Amino acid sequence: MSIKIVTLCGSVRPGNYTAMALELVHDEFRKLPGVELIPLRLDGLELPLPGLPAKNPDAIAQFQETVASATGVLLASPEYHGGISSPMKLAIDNLGFPSKLAGKPISLLGVAAGTIGAIKSTEQLRAICAHIGAVPLPLAVSVANVQQVFDAEGHCLDAGTEKFIRRAARNLIDYINDAVCPKLSLEAILRGRAEED
């Protein structure tokens, strides 16, 4: 079966480090057979604040539909003031209720300027995802001292850190292959038998 992966970058600042780390993850996804990658950019969606009407309701509907059709989702956020970024929270809030993330496996990637990494933001993101019924995977990838990890062109300067960042893609695909694909295959077999009876 084809695996559709949607990624969301929680920073909209030009040249941001979250996007640099996410590009390594995208590259890893592209290496894997049978994976369709759909990176979503938040800066062009004009996401409304909760309770306000959308300026572009068609774009929001398309955003929700794309996430709903995903086999798995990767959420990447910088850590701002001990939590996730406001664009990431706004994106999650615009995925409806019940959320389009509900039931989906979620891989988490966080970047931070500090030495302890994005521990607080990835844990906050994990709690939000669990609350809305998604399945946040263990082993979130947290990158510390991110300004020292990438150069101005977005190249990773440390091979070990690059391998660690790429793990965010592998974790999600491994989970889907081990837990989601067998379930979908079994459901298809059972549906086929029910139709024969």
PDB file of all heavy atoms in Angstrom, residues 154-181:
ATOM      1  N   GLY A 154      21.906  25.878   5.530  1.00  0.00           N
ATOM      2  CA  GLY A 154      21.058  24.768   5.954  1.00  0.00           C
ATOM      3  C   GLY A 154      21.739  23.421   5.967  1.00  0.00           C
ATOM      4  O   GLY A 154      21.076  22.391   6.111  1.00  0.00           O
ATOM      5  N   HIS A 155      23.070  23.391   5.829  1.00  0.00           N
ATOM      6  CA  HIS A 155      23.793  22.123   5.884  1.00  0.00           C
ATOM      7  C   HIS A 155      24.044  21.740   7.336  1.00  0.00           C
ATOM      8  O   HIS A 155      24.477  22.575   8.130  1.00  0.00           O
ATOM      9  CB  HIS A 155      25.132  22.222   5.144  1.00  0.00           C
ATOM     10  CG  HIS A 155      24.975  22.605   3.708  1.00  0.00           C
ATOM     11  ND1 HIS A 155      25.427  23.813   3.216  1.00  0.00           N
ATOM     12  CD2 HIS A 155      24.404  21.956   2.663  1.00  0.00           C
ATOM     13  CE1 HIS A 155      25.146  23.888   1.927  1.00  0.00           C
ATOM     14  NE2 HIS A 155      24.524  22.776   1.579  1.00  0.00           N
ATOM     15  N   CYS A 156      23.812  20.478   7.649  1.00  0.00           N
ATOM     16  CA  CYS A 156      24.079  19.986   8.989  1.00  0.00           C
ATOM     17  C   CYS A 156      25.577  19.783   9.156  1.00  0.00           C
ATOM     18  O   CYS A 156      26.238  19.188   8.299  1.00  0.00           O
ATOM     19  CB  CYS A 156      23.324  18.680   9.231  1.00  0.00           C
ATOM     20  SG  CYS A 156      23.391  18.128  10.943  1.00  0.00           S
ATOM     21  N   LEU A 157      26.116  20.281  10.259  1.00  0.00           N
ATOM     22  CA  LEU A 157      27.554  20.278  10.479  1.00  0.00           C
ATOM     23  C   LEU A 157      28.044  19.092  11.303  1.00  0.00           C
ATOM     24  O   LEU A 157      29.241  18.942  11.514  1.00  0.00           O
ATOM     25  CB  LEU A 157      27.968  21.581  11.171  1.00  0.00           C
ATOM     26  CG  LEU A 157      27.573  22.868  10.436  1.00  0.00           C
ATOM     27  CD1 LEU A 157      27.900  24.087  11.279  1.00  0.00           C
ATOM     28  CD2 LEU A 157      28.265  22.940   9.079  1.00  0.00           C
ATOM     29  N   ASP A 158      27.124  18.243  11.737  1.00  0.00           N
ATOM     30  CA  ASP A 158      27.504  17.111  12.580  1.00  0.00           C
ATOM     31  C   ASP A 158      26.806  15.850  12.085  1.00  0.00           C
ATOM     32  O   ASP A 158      25.568  15.790  12.060  1.00  0.00           O
ATOM     33  CB  ASP A 158      27.132  17.396  14.033  1.00  0.00           C
ATOM     34  CG  ASP A 158      27.524  16.262  14.960  1.00  0.00           C
ATOM     35  OD1 ASP A 158      28.714  16.164  15.312  1.00  0.00           O
ATOM     36  OD2 ASP A 158      26.633  15.457  15.310  1.00  0.00           O
ATOM     37  N   ALA A 159      27.592  14.845  11.699  1.00  0.00           N
ATOM     38  CA  ALA A 159      27.029  13.620  11.115  1.00  0.00           C
ATOM     39  C   ALA A 159      26.141  12.878  12.104  1.00  0.00           C
ATOM     40  O   ALA A 159      25.093  12.331  11.732  1.00  0.00           O
ATOM     41  CB  ALA A 159      28.161  12.712  10.626  1.00  0.00           C
ATOM     42  N   GLY A 160      26.528  12.849  13.379  1.00  0.00           N
ATOM     43  CA  GLY A 160      25.725  12.158  14.376  1.00  0.00           C
ATOM     44  C   GLY A 160      24.374  12.816  14.577  1.00  0.00           C
ATOM     45  O   GLY A 160      23.347  12.136  14.681  1.00  0.00           O
ATOM     46  N   THR A 161      24.365  14.141  14.617  1.00  0.00           N
ATOM     47  CA  THR A 161      23.101  14.868  14.770  1.00  0.00           C
ATOM     48  C   THR A 161      22.226  14.696  13.539  1.00  0.00           C
ATOM     49  O   THR A 161      21.004  14.537  13.647  1.00  0.00           O
ATOM     50  CB  THR A 161      23.374  16.362  15.027  1.00  0.00           C
ATOM     51  OG1 THR A 161      24.178  16.493  16.188  1.00  0.00           O
ATOM     52  CG2 THR A 161      22.080  17.130  15.218  1.00  0.00           C
ATOM     53  N   GLU A 162      22.839  14.700  12.360  1.00  0.00           N
ATOM     54  CA  GLU A 162      22.057  14.488  11.140  1.00  0.00           C
ATOM     55  C   GLU A 162      21.376  13.124  11.160  1.00  0.00           C
ATOM     56  O   GLU A 162      20.185  13.006  10.822  1.00  0.00           O
ATOM     57  CB  GLU A 162      22.943  14.611   9.905  1.00  0.00           C
ATOM     58  CG  GLU A 162      22.168  14.359   8.623  1.00  0.00           C
ATOM     59  CD  GLU A 162      22.957  14.654   7.360  1.00  0.00           C
ATOM     60  OE1 GLU A 162      23.957  15.400   7.426  1.00  0.00           O
ATOM     61  OE2 GLU A 162      22.555  14.147   6.296  1.00  0.00           O
ATOM     62  N   LYS A 163      22.092  12.106  11.552  1.00  0.00           N
ATOM     63  CA  LYS A 163      21.512  10.753  11.638  1.00  0.00           C
ATOM     64  C   LYS A 163      20.364  10.742  12.637  1.00  0.00           C
ATOM     65  O   LYS A 163      19.316  10.127  12.392  1.00  0.00           O
ATOM     66  CB  LYS A 163      22.601   9.760  12.037  1.00  0.00           C
ATOM     67  CG  LYS A 163      22.138   8.323  12.088  1.00  0.00           C
ATOM     68  CD  LYS A 163      23.293   7.397  12.431  1.00  0.00           C
ATOM     69  CE  LYS A 163      22.831   5.941  12.487  1.00  0.00           C
ATOM     70  NZ  LYS A 163      23.934   5.031  12.861  1.00  0.00           N
ATOM     71  N   PHE A 164      20.541  11.434  13.759  1.00  0.00           N
ATOM     72  CA  PHE A 164      19.513  11.520  14.790  1.00  0.00           C
ATOM     73  C   PHE A 164      18.256  12.209  14.255  1.00  0.00           C
ATOM     74  O   PHE A 164      17.132  11.761  14.482  1.00  0.00           O
ATOM     75  CB  PHE A 164      20.094  12.278  15.981  1.00  0.00           C
ATOM     76  CG  PHE A 164      19.155  12.474  17.128  1.00  0.00           C
ATOM     77  CD1 PHE A 164      18.595  11.405  17.799  1.00  0.00           C
ATOM     78  CD2 PHE A 164      18.849  13.759  17.575  1.00  0.00           C
ATOM     79  CE1 PHE A 164      17.736  11.593  18.874  1.00  0.00           C
ATOM     80  CE2 PHE A 164      17.994  13.963  18.644  1.00  0.00           C
ATOM     81  CZ  PHE A 164      17.442  12.872  19.300  1.00  0.00           C
ATOM     82  N   ILE A 165      18.437  13.306  13.518  1.00  0.00           N
ATOM     83  CA  ILE A 165      17.298  14.031  12.948  1.00  0.00           C
ATOM     84  C   ILE A 165      16.559  13.161  11.943  1.00  0.00           C
ATOM     85  O   ILE A 165      15.320  13.095  11.945  1.00  0.00           O
ATOM     86  CB  ILE A 165      17.769  15.346  12.295  1.00  0.00           C
ATOM     87  CG1 ILE A 165      18.276  16.323  13.364  1.00  0.00           C
ATOM     88  CG2 ILE A 165      16.651  15.985  11.479  1.00  0.00           C
ATOM     89  CD1 ILE A 165      18.998  17.539  12.815  1.00  0.00           C
ATOM     90  N   ARG A 166      17.298  12.473  11.099  1.00  0.00           N
ATOM     91  CA  ARG A 166      16.674  11.603  10.087  1.00  0.00           C
ATOM     92  C   ARG A 166      15.862  10.478  10.726  1.00  0.00           C
ATOM     93  O   ARG A 166      14.947   9.939  10.107  1.00  0.00           O
ATOM     94  CB  ARG A 166      17.740  11.040   9.163  1.00  0.00           C
ATOM     95  CG  ARG A 166      18.345  12.066   8.215  1.00  0.00           C
ATOM     96  CD  ARG A 166      19.479  11.480   7.384  1.00  0.00           C
ATOM     97  NE  ARG A 166      20.047  12.459   6.468  1.00  0.00           N
ATOM     98  CZ  ARG A 166      19.578  12.697   5.239  1.00  0.00           C
ATOM     99  NH1 ARG A 166      18.547  12.012   4.788  1.00  0.00           N
ATOM    100  NH2 ARG A 166      20.145  13.605   4.476  1.00  0.00           N
ATOM    101  N   ARG A 167      16.198  10.145  11.967  1.00  0.00           N
ATOM    102  CA  ARG A 167      15.476   9.085  12.670  1.00  0.00           C
ATOM    103  C   ARG A 167      13.985   9.396  12.816  1.00  0.00           C
ATOM    104  O   ARG A 167      13.149   8.490  12.923  1.00  0.00           O
ATOM    105  CB  ARG A 167      16.105   8.859  14.041  1.00  0.00           C
ATOM    106  CG  ARG A 167      15.609   7.595  14.741  1.00  0.00           C
ATOM    107  CD  ARG A 167      16.285   7.415  16.074  1.00  0.00           C
ATOM    108  NE  ARG A 167      15.636   8.279  17.061  1.00  0.00           N
ATOM    109  CZ  ARG A 167      15.978   8.333  18.329  1.00  0.00           C
ATOM    110  NH1 ARG A 167      16.990   7.625  18.774  1.00  0.00           N
ATOM    111  NH2 ARG A 167      15.338   9.126  19.171  1.00  0.00           N
ATOM    112  N   ALA A 168      13.626  10.682  12.816  1.00  0.00           N
ATOM    113  CA  ALA A 168      12.212  11.061  12.936  1.00  0.00           C
ATOM    114  C   ALA A 168      11.392  10.464  11.791  1.00  0.00           C
ATOM    115  O   ALA A 168      10.238  10.070  11.986  1.00  0.00           O
ATOM    116  CB  ALA A 168      12.071  12.584  12.952  1.00  0.00           C
ATOM    117  N   ALA A 169      11.987  10.392  10.610  1.00  0.00           N
ATOM    118  CA  ALA A 169      11.297   9.775   9.468  1.00  0.00           C
ATOM    119  C   ALA A 169      11.219   8.272   9.639  1.00  0.00           C
ATOM    120  O   ALA A 169      10.158   7.655   9.433  1.00  0.00           O
ATOM    121  CB  ALA A 169      12.015  10.131   8.168  1.00  0.00           C
ATOM    122  N   ARG A 170      12.334   7.664   9.989  1.00  0.00           N
ATOM    123  CA  ARG A 170      12.380   6.203  10.134  1.00  0.00           C
ATOM    124  C   ARG A 170      11.440   5.716  11.227  1.00  0.00           C
ATOM    125  O   ARG A 170      10.781   4.683  11.077  1.00  0.00           O
ATOM    126  CB  ARG A 170      13.810   5.763  10.445  1.00  0.00           C
ATOM    127  CG  ARG A 170      14.787   6.018   9.323  1.00  0.00           C
ATOM    128  CD  ARG A 170      14.678   4.968   8.262  1.00  0.00           C
ATOM    129  NE  ARG A 170      15.576   5.257   7.148  1.00  0.00           N
ATOM    130  CZ  ARG A 170      15.746   4.437   6.143  1.00  0.00           C
ATOM    131  NH1 ARG A 170      15.084   3.292   6.089  1.00  0.00           N
ATOM    132  NH2 ARG A 170      16.556   4.755   5.163  1.00  0.00           N
ATOM    133  N   ASN A 171      11.364   6.448  12.348  1.00  0.00           N
ATOM    134  CA  ASN A 171      10.467   6.053  13.438  1.00  0.00           C
ATOM    135  C   ASN A 171       9.022   5.965  12.946  1.00  0.00           C
ATOM    136  O   ASN A 171       8.304   5.015  13.267  1.00  0.00           O
ATOM    137  CB  ASN A 171      10.536   7.068  14.587  1.00  0.00           C
ATOM    138  CG  ASN A 171      11.816   6.985  15.375  1.00  0.00           C
ATOM    139  OD1 ASN A 171      12.586   6.038  15.247  1.00  0.00           O
ATOM    140  ND2 ASN A 171      12.056   7.993  16.196  1.00  0.00           N
ATOM    141  N   LEU A 172       8.604   6.960  12.189  1.00  0.00           N
ATOM    142  CA  LEU A 172       7.221   7.000  11.711  1.00  0.00           C
ATOM    143  C   LEU A 172       6.949   5.887  10.714  1.00  0.00           C
ATOM    144  O   LEU A 172       5.938   5.181  10.813  1.00  0.00           O
ATOM    145  CB  LEU A 172       6.924   8.373  11.094  1.00  0.00           C
ATOM    146  CG  LEU A 172       5.485   8.620  10.637  1.00  0.00           C
ATOM    147  CD1 LEU A 172       4.484   8.374  11.752  1.00  0.00           C
ATOM    148  CD2 LEU A 172       5.347  10.046  10.105  1.00  0.00           C
ATOM    149  N   ILE A 173       7.845   5.695   9.761  1.00  0.00           N
ATOM    150  CA  ILE A 173       7.634   4.652   8.747  1.00  0.00           C
ATOM    151  C   ILE A 173       7.684   3.263   9.384  1.00  0.00           C
ATOM    152  O   ILE A 173       6.881   2.386   9.043  1.00  0.00           O
ATOM    153  CB  ILE A 173       8.666   4.783   7.612  1.00  0.00           C
ATOM    154  CG1 ILE A 173       8.469   6.109   6.872  1.00  0.00           C
ATOM    155  CG2 ILE A 173       8.558   3.610   6.643  1.00  0.00           C
ATOM    156  CD1 ILE A 173       7.077   6.320   6.279  1.00  0.00           C
ATOM    157  N   ASP A 174       8.594   3.053  10.317  1.00  0.00           N
ATOM    158  CA  ASP A 174       8.662   1.753  11.000  1.00  0.00           C
ATOM    159  C   ASP A 174       7.368   1.461  11.738  1.00  0.00           C
ATOM    160  O   ASP A 174       6.839   0.339  11.689  1.00  0.00           O
ATOM    161  CB  ASP A 174       9.835   1.709  11.986  1.00  0.00           C
ATOM    162  CG  ASP A 174      11.186   1.619  11.292  1.00  0.00           C
ATOM    163  OD1 ASP A 174      11.211   1.357  10.063  1.00  0.00           O
ATOM    164  OD2 ASP A 174      12.212   1.827  11.970  1.00  0.00           O
ATOM    165  N   TYR A 175       6.824   2.466  12.418  1.00  0.00           N
ATOM    166  CA  TYR A 175       5.561   2.263  13.133  1.00  0.00           C
ATOM    167  C   TYR A 175       4.433   1.939  12.155  1.00  0.00           C
ATOM    168  O   TYR A 175       3.644   1.017  12.391  1.00  0.00           O
ATOM    169  CB  TYR A 175       5.198   3.502  13.960  1.00  0.00           C
ATOM    170  CG  TYR A 175       3.882   3.336  14.691  1.00  0.00           C
ATOM    171  CD1 TYR A 175       3.839   2.719  15.929  1.00  0.00           C
ATOM    172  CD2 TYR A 175       2.691   3.771  14.115  1.00  0.00           C
ATOM    173  CE1 TYR A 175       2.625   2.540  16.591  1.00  0.00           C
ATOM    174  CE2 TYR A 175       1.480   3.594  14.768  1.00  0.00           C
ATOM    175  CZ  TYR A 175       1.447   2.976  16.000  1.00  0.00           C
ATOM    176  OH  TYR A 175       0.251   2.790  16.642  1.00  0.00           O
ATOM    177  N   ILE A 176       4.362   2.681  11.073  1.00  0.00           N
ATOM    178  CA  ILE A 176       3.301   2.439  10.087  1.00  0.00           C
ATOM    179  C   ILE A 176       3.425   1.033   9.505  1.00  0.00           C
ATOM    180  O   ILE A 176       2.431   0.302   9.391  1.00  0.00           O
ATOM    181  CB  ILE A 176       3.341   3.517   8.981  1.00  0.00           C
ATOM    182  CG1 ILE A 176       2.881   4.867   9.549  1.00  0.00           C
ATOM    183  CG2 ILE A 176       2.487   3.111   7.785  1.00  0.00           C
ATOM    184  CD1 ILE A 176       3.111   6.039   8.626  1.00  0.00           C
ATOM    185  N   ASN A 177       4.636   0.629   9.161  1.00  0.00           N
ATOM    186  CA  ASN A 177       4.838  -0.708   8.586  1.00  0.00           C
ATOM    187  C   ASN A 177       4.536  -1.812   9.587  1.00  0.00           C
ATOM    188  O   ASN A 177       4.027  -2.869   9.219  1.00  0.00           O
ATOM    189  CB  ASN A 177       6.266  -0.853   8.064  1.00  0.00           C
ATOM    190  CG  ASN A 177       6.470  -0.134   6.745  1.00  0.00           C
ATOM    191  OD1 ASN A 177       5.558  -0.013   5.940  1.00  0.00           O
ATOM    192  ND2 ASN A 177       7.671   0.367   6.523  1.00  0.00           N
ATOM    193  N   ASP A 178       4.842  -1.581  10.861  1.00  0.00           N
ATOM    194  CA  ASP A 178       4.645  -2.617  11.876  1.00  0.00           C
ATOM    195  C   ASP A 178       3.236  -2.665  12.437  1.00  0.00           C
ATOM    196  O   ASP A 178       2.741  -3.736  12.793  1.00  0.00           O
ATOM    197  CB  ASP A 178       5.631  -2.413  13.038  1.00  0.00           C
ATOM    198  CG  ASP A 178       7.074  -2.656  12.628  1.00  0.00           C
ATOM    199  OD1 ASP A 178       7.297  -3.258  11.561  1.00  0.00           O
ATOM    200  OD2 ASP A 178       7.975  -2.223  13.368  1.00  0.00           O
ATOM    201  N   ALA A 179       2.579  -1.507  12.548  1.00  0.00           N
ATOM    202  CA  ALA A 179       1.290  -1.456  13.239  1.00  0.00           C
ATOM    203  C   ALA A 179       0.112  -1.074  12.359  1.00  0.00           C
ATOM    204  O   ALA A 179      -0.991  -1.586  12.539  1.00  0.00           O
ATOM    205  CB  ALA A 179       1.375  -0.480  14.417  1.00  0.00           C
ATOM    206  N   VAL A 180       0.314  -0.171  11.401  1.00  0.00           N
ATOM    207  CA  VAL A 180      -0.810   0.331  10.608  1.00  0.00           C
ATOM    208  C   VAL A 180      -1.073  -0.537   9.390  1.00  0.00           C
ATOM    209  O   VAL A 180      -2.211  -0.963   9.146  1.00  0.00           O
ATOM    210  CB  VAL A 180      -0.569   1.795  10.185  1.00  0.00           C
ATOM    211  CG1 VAL A 180      -1.698   2.297   9.296  1.00  0.00           C
ATOM    212  CG2 VAL A 180      -0.435   2.683  11.423  1.00  0.00           C
ATOM    213  N   CYS A 181      -0.038  -0.831   8.618  1.00  0.00           N
ATOM    214  CA  CYS A 181      -0.229  -1.602   7.383  1.00  0.00           C
ATOM    215  C   CYS A 181      -0.826  -2.985   7.632  1.00  0.00           C
ATOM    216  O   CYS A 181      -1.764  -3.379   6.935  1.00  0.00           O
ATOM    217  CB  CYS A 181       1.088  -1.710   6.612  1.00  0.00           C
ATOM    218  SG  CYS A 181       1.624  -0.137   5.907  1.00  0.00           S
TER     219      CYS A 181
END
